[in-house]
Amino acid sequence: FGSSSGSKETIFFGWSPDSLRKHMANVIYNIPCCGGFCAPTVNPEESCLKHVSNEYTLPASGVYLKASPVIESNFVCRSCGRFGLQAGRDFRKPLMIGAAAVNFLGCILSIFAAMGLASSYGGLMFGHWVYGEITIADMPLKMYLGVSSRVLAVECASDDCMSFVSGTDFTDEGDNIYAKEQDDETCSNSFGSDAIIGICEECKDNQYSESTLILGVITYWPTMLTNFQRSTEFGDVNCQKFFGRDTMCSRGALLHRQLMEIGGVQAR
């Protein structure tokens, strides 16, 4: 960098300080999903909702105006934008804020449910979906079942128990607790127990899809952003309304799939 001739203004790699500040600010404002929250806006909304519903929080805000003939003024988006209820306009703010709150709660619950993807003793002890206890040969056995894995844990208080687990794949978890992680589909167990096999087979038939669970968590974020974007009339453009309906339909289809899988019914 250096000083420009005839001026005391410092030039940084061809950028003047003012130009550099504007460029960096523009880069920050156009960060996807959250950059527009701190951007200056011409949204006339007086509440804090203008920070989450403005020209910078639109999807692909950096190229939105250039692409508006395709993504905003086309026949499909304009037709979609015409449909709606007067009540929706009158109660826009509470409806969209309420929808965002419900989606946020759903996201938290889905993240908690995703802990069932763990396969370790510590992970499934905290995030298990199914828990059971059974006594075999005077040994209290605990079962923690997750989405695709299961853990058998036994608390050894006798020499016979210690002798049994020492010759198996059980690992010492401390405090006389020994655990065995299983992620195979054979439902085999070291105890030869029909009860354990029965529980495992029943849960295996209702096994939850890992991809469905992960998608359920991921799709909450764009849905919440859509709720915020549509919370003001200024920010609720045609393409965003179309996108909002699309994400709601997608989440509805995903929820239907989740309910079908939880109920053990395979959708065809």
Side-chain angles (χ1 to χ4, degrees):
F1 59 90
S3 299
S4 59
S5 59
S7 174
K8 295 182 179 180
E9 187 178 59
T10 302
I11 303 299
F12 297 90
F13 300 102
W15 295 84
S16 67
D18 288 341
S19 298
L20 183 61
R21 281 193 294 268
K22 291 179 181 179
H23 177 73
M24 293 302 298
N26 190 57
V27 170
I28 295 174
Y29 298 156
N30 284 283
I31 294 176
C33 299
C34 60
F37 294 170
C38 56
T41 176
V42 295
N43 189 345
E45 174 65 35
E46 296 181 356
S47 69
C48 61
L49 290 176
K50 66 181 180 181
H51 295 296
V52 293
S53 177
N54 56 59
E55 62 273 27
Y56 287 97
T57 55
L58 286 167
S61 60
V63 296
Y64 177 80
L65 293 178
K66 296 179 181 179
S68 60
V70 178
I71 64 176
E72 173 65 15
S73 304
N74 64 74
F75 175 77
V76 176
C77 288
R78 289 174 63 88
S79 299
C80 181
R82 292 191 183 99
F83 292 98
L85 300 175
Q86 183 62 37
R89 172 177 292 184
D90 296 339
F91 299 97
R92 176 189 298 274
K93 294 179 185 178
L95 283 175
M96 291 297 105
I97 293 175
V102 171
N103 281 312
F104 177 76
L105 177 61
C107 182
I108 297 299
L109 295 177
S110 294
I111 292 174
F112 182 78
M115 294 179 182
L117 292 170
S119 60
S120 64
Y121 167 73
L124 283 184
M125 186 177 65
F126 178 76
H128 60 269
W129 282 31
V130 179
Y131 170 78
E133 294 183 3
I134 187 173
T135 300
I136 299 178
D138 296 328
M139 291 186 296
L141 181 68
K142 298 180 180 180
M143 299 178 60
Y144 302 94
L145 287 83
V147 177
S148 58
S149 300
R150 60 192 180 277
V151 169
L152 305 178
V154 59
E155 183 175 359
C156 287
S158 64
D159 294 337
D160 292 339
C161 177
M162 296 288 290
S163 176
F164 174 80
V165 298
S166 62
T168 61
D169 295 332
F170 281 77
T171 57
D172 187 358
E173 300 292 342
D175 297 329
N176 292 328
I177 296 178
Y178 292 81
K180 181 178 181 179
E181 303 170 8
Q182 295 180 310
D183 56 6
D184 61 285
E185 297 184 359
T186 61
C187 289
S188 60
N189 65 90
S190 304
F191 301 92
S193 171
D194 293 335
I196 295 178
I197 294 177
I199 295 173
C200 177
E201 290 289 348
E202 182 178 355
C203 290
K204 185 179 69 173
D205 292 339
N206 296 332
Q207 192 175 53
Y208 201 75
S209 170
E210 294 183 17
S211 60
T212 302
L213 184 59
I214 295 173
L215 284 174
V217 175
I218 294 175
T219 54
Y220 269 112
W221 180 242
T223 305
M224 284 189 289
L225 291 179
T226 301
N227 297 145
F228 285 133
Q229 183 66 40
R230 301 194 61 197
S231 61
T232 67
E233 189 170 355
F234 177 87
D236 191 13
V237 293
N238 289 330
C239 75
Q240 189 64 32
K241 186 173 183 179
F242 178 81
F243 182 71
R245 291 184 176 181
D246 179 68
T247 54
M248 289 300 293
C249 291
S250 299
R251 282 215 55 79
L254 185 60
L255 177 61
H256 176 264
R257 181 181 174 184
Q258 291 172 341
L259 293 175
M260 295 287 281
E261 290 183 351
I262 290 175
V265 180
Q266 296 297 324
R268 301 297 181 184

